Amino acid sequence: MTVDPGLQPERTRLAWRRTALALTVVTVLAVRLAADGGVAGTLVAGLAVLTWGAALTLCWRRGTGTGRAPTGGRPVPLAALVAAGYALLGTVLVLRTLW
């Protein structure tokens, strides 16, 4: 059984592109929800945009296949940490809007 080496890189690039798209959507929603929160909301929105920029840089380099991301060989744990942070941010913003 032969394995086509061209399929795995393509799937990896598509996964990183989906990750970048999901992070963009979450950032836009976080900024929208945090906009009504005064100074704290502005800080949360700013932090979300800064984190999004860093994550987008990682995802872009990995998603286009232009080379390794500048993370010292640790892109998956870094992406997992960013995803967990976004999940926490989303939970806090949703709970804040419910009360």
Side-chain angles (χ1 to χ4, degrees):
M1 182 170 146
T2 61
V3 177
D4 184 5
L7 294 178
Q8 182 61 41
E10 181 180 0
R11 286 193 302 265
T12 301
R13 283 192 304 273
L14 290 173
W16 281 105
R17 288 179 185 173
R18 284 190 306 270
T19 302
L21 178 62
L23 289 173
T24 302
V25 169
V26 169
T27 301
V28 169
L29 291 175
V31 168
R32 184 174 175 207
L33 287 173
D36 298 332
V39 175
T42 303
L43 290 175
V44 168
L47 183 61
V49 170
L50 287 174
T51 305
W52 170 77
L56 191 63
T57 301
L58 170 76
C59 293
W60 180 261
R61 293 193 65 189
R62 299 291 291 187
T64 59
T66 57
R68 294 187 54 83
T71 60
R74 298 179 304 272
V76 175
L78 181 62
L81 182 64
V82 169
Y86 268 94
L88 180 63
L89 174 65
T91 303
V92 168
L93 289 173
V94 167
L95 290 175
R96 187 184 68 91
T97 57
L98 291 177
W99 282 302

